[in-house]
């Protein structure tokens, strides 16, 4: 088991960043559907998704959000992170087999509240070109 990074608030300066990569899998889509109860056919039925203009089943946006949780809870800020606020949007779909790189970068710190704001980006490679699949921000409280 991987242990979360231990990052002190004082070490969270502007521009500090971390990233993780993940390949979307059918098994995770199905497990997320079971956990969340979201069995929308866009996520579960490849033929239905194709009929509606998609290349394949579409990965749940909040499955990407769960991977953002892994990024902030394990790497930046890591062990001391308590997620306070999250704003994400999903400009392009992710399909099974897509490799996604998620990154977080410190955009602001709030010493009075022991909080840090991170810019979140997620991209997949397709046709040799990176395509945005998630973007937004999170606000984390850093526990002492």
């Amino acid at each position: 088991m991987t242990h979360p990074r231990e990052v002190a608030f004082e070490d969270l300066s502007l521009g500090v960043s971390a990233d993780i990569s993940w390949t979307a899998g059918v098994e995770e889509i199905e497990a997320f559907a079971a956990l969340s109860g979201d069995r929308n056919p866009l996520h579960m039925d490849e033929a239905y998704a194709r009929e509606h203009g998609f290349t394949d089943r579409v990965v749940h946006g909040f499955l990407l959000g769960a991977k953002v949780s892994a990024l902030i809870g394990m790497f930046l800020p890591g062990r001391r992170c308590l997620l306070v606020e999250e704003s994400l949007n999903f400009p392009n779909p992710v399909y099974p087999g897509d490799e996604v790189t998620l990154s977080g970068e410190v955009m602001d710190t709030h010493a009075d509240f022991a909080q840090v704001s991170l810019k979140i980006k997620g991209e997949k490679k397709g046709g040799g070109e990176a395509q945005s699949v998630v973007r937004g921000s999170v606000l984390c409280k850093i526990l002492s």
Side-chain angles (χ1 to χ4, degrees):
M1 180 175 150
T2 303
H3 296 286
R5 280 183 51 201
E6 183 78 34
V7 180
F9 181 80
E10 299 75 33
D11 297 327
L12 294 169
S13 58
L14 297 179
V16 170
S17 65
D19 61 88
I20 60 172
S21 291
W22 164 70
T23 300
V26 169
E27 303 80 19
E28 283 183 296
I29 294 169
E30 291 176 359
F32 188 83
L35 180 66
S36 69
D38 182 355
R39 299 186 126 329
N40 183 299
L42 282 175
H43 306 304
M44 306 310 293
D45 184 340
E46 181 181 347
Y48 181 87
R50 288 181 187 274
E51 287 172 18
H52 290 85
F54 296 95
T55 303
D56 199 339
R57 301 162 61 156
V58 178
V59 172
H60 298 78
F62 277 104
L63 178 49
L64 285 170
K67 297 301 177 178
V68 169
S69 181
L71 171 69
I72 66 175
M74 297 298 289
F75 299 98
L76 183 69
R79 178 184 180 117
R80 296 176 184 219
C81 174
L82 173 65
L83 179 62
V84 174
E85 185 177 304
E86 181 175 51
S87 175
L88 301 174
N89 62 63
F90 311 98
N92 292 292
V94 173
Y95 303 114
D98 284 346
E99 183 178 348
V100 175
T101 300
L102 295 168
S103 63
E105 180 181 344
V106 176
M107 298 305 292
D108 199 5
T109 58
H110 312 280
D112 293 350
F113 302 106
Q115 293 180 335
V116 61
S117 298
L118 302 176
K119 177 181 175 181
I120 301 296
K121 281 188 347 182
E123 295 181 334
K124 69 177 184 177
K125 296 232 164 127
E129 202 171 299
Q131 189 176 48
S132 177
V133 295
V134 61
R135 59 185 173 216
S137 62
V138 296
L139 177 65
C140 300
K141 178 167 182 59
I142 309 304
L143 304 175
S144 53

